[in-house]
Each structure stands twice: as C-alpha cells, then as structure tokens.
C-alpha cells in the first residue's frame, strides 16, 4: 500500500498569514501609523469603547477606523459620527480578519493622512486570537456580564493580547463577577499584561487607559 501524504493545512495557513502580518507591520512602521487590533465578544462594548477612545485621542492624532463584520454597517455609521475616517469591511461569513484582509482594508482606507488606525475585529474570542493582522498592539475587551472565568475558556485570546480592558465595571455589583479572581486567572496566562477597569458608557477609568495608549503610540512612533 502506498504511503498517504498528510498536509497540515492550518499550520500552512497560519504561517502564510504571519508572513503577511509582518508586511503589514513594516508598512505601517514606514508610514508611522499605529495600528490597533480591537477584539472582544459581541456585546462587550467594542464600539462604545472605541467611540469614547476616539473622542479622547482626536485632538492629538488623526484617526482612521476599519469596521469588520459579517454583514451590515451599523457600527461604521456610529463611529463615523466622531469625524474619524471610517470604512466598513464585510468578511463574507468569516469569523475573523486575517493579515491579507487587513492589508487590503488599509489600502482602501488610505493611511497617508492618518496617525492611528483601529481595526474593530469580528466579535468573538476564538478566531481573531489565532490570526495576527500586523497590528502594533492587540487590545482585548472583556465585559463584566461575561463573567470572570473567560480566561479559563478562551486562554489564547488572553495570551496574545497586549492589554485587557474590563468594561461595564459599573455593573460589577449586579453580576457574580470577582475582579481579583479574573486578574489571578489572567496572571497565569499573561503575567505582564496591563488590566484597566472602565465603563465605556459613563467614562470611568478612561483617563488611565488613554494615558497608557498614548504612551504606547509615542513609544512606537519614536522607536
């Protein structure tokens, strides 16, 4: 019987994506544009957090946004009200953005007149964690109603992210949510990741998050 060749297609796909991600990162570095990959579950408050973040940054930086979703442009319309430069990306049923899709989106957005670009990734905690899009920073949002056990269920997302925003902190007393238990779970997976508690609805905790983000933008742009 002849030997059957086995090809690990996922490993090849991820490897190819990583190569493309490095091209994106290099392109953004050459243009001095800071790309943020914003990831979270549906309903975690990505768009509300993004809008408030844009308002806090737009006096200092020229901002662009790529809204990725399976369908519709409701989030793009919401973000566009901030005055930021916005395009909608439909993934055609795909549960994540990859580096090639991001590259093409950046070309369509146009970055020559921008300092910072946010990619609001498709809402889930699985697929986006597996695909590097070439961002300078990966930002994860976890909302209080989702529970403090999410690091146990979706460890990769916490391992690859550079910062964790715990949103809807104003609802902490309503839900069975222990912030210290969450931090202990996260520490096992990513011991150096900063964690910021905030309320995108009311603005609590945003000063600290924005200060950190501005610091990271300047360090990256001046490196």
């Amino acid at each position: 019987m002849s030997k059957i060749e086995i090809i690990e297609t996922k490993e090849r796909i991820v490897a190819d994506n990583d190569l493309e991600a490095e091209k994106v990162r290099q392109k953004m570095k050459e243009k001095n544009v800071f790309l943020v990959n914003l990831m979270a579950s549906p309903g975690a408050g990505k768009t509300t957090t993004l809008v408030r973040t844009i308002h806090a940054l737009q006096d200092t930086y020229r901002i662009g946004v790529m809204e990725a979703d399976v369908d519709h442009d409701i989030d793009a319309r919401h973000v566009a009200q901030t005055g930021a430069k916005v395009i909608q990306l439909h993934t055609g049923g795909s549960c994540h953005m990859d580096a090639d899709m991001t590259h093409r989106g950046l070309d369509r957005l146009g970055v020559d007149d921008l300092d910072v670009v946010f990619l609001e990734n498709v809402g889930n905690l699985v697929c986006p964690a597996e695909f590097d899009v070439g961002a300078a920073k990966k930002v994860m949002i976890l909302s209080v109603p989702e529970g403090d056990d999410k690091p146990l269920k979706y460890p990769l997302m916490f391992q690859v992210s550079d910062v964790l925003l715990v949103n809807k902190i104003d609802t902490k007393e309503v839900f069975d949510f222990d912030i210290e238990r969450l931090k202990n779970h996260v520490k096992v997976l990513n011991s150096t990741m900063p964690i910021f508690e905030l309320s995108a609805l009311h603005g609590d905790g945003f000063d600290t998050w924005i200060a950190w983000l501005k610091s990271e933008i300047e360090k990256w742009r001046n490196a």
Side-chain angles (χ1 to χ4, degrees), residues 183-204:
K183 290 179 179 179
N184 288 335
H185 291 327
V186 172
K187 188 175 182 180
V188 173
L189 299 169
N190 193 337
S191 61
T192 62
M193 182 166 66
I195 300 174
F196 299 112
E197 303 172 41
L198 52 82
S199 168
L201 182 62
H202 300 294
D204 302 343

Side-chain angles (χ1 to χ4, degrees), residues 29-87:
K29 188 60 182 175
E30 291 172 357
K31 292 183 175 293
N32 211 23
V33 177
F34 188 87
L35 176 61
V36 178
N37 184 8
L38 186 61
M39 301 175 287
S41 297
K46 288 195 305 300
T47 305
T48 306
T49 301
L50 177 56
V51 166
R52 191 175 284 275
T53 298
I54 290 170
H55 283 311
L57 294 176
Q58 60 190 173
D59 287 342
T60 307
Y61 303 107
R62 298 168 299 172
I63 298 173
V65 177
M66 296 187 295
E67 282 289 340
D69 216 330
V70 174
D71 200 356
H72 217 284
D73 62 354
I74 187 170
D75 290 339
R77 291 178 181 275
H78 188 192
V79 173
Q81 294 177 10
T82 66
K85 187 178 182 180
V86 183
I87 62 169

Side-chain angles (χ1 to χ4, degrees), residues 4 29 37 40 44 68 77 82 86 91 107-108 138-139 142-143 148 167 176 188 198 201 212-213 223:
I4 302 298
K29 188 60 182 175
N37 184 8
R77 291 178 181 275
T82 66
V86 183
T91 62
D107 286 343
R108 290 297 298 271
K138 301 173 183 176
V139 178
L142 172 71
S143 66
D148 53 40
N167 190 27
D176 181 21
V188 173
L198 52 82
L201 182 62
W212 180 89
L213 182 56

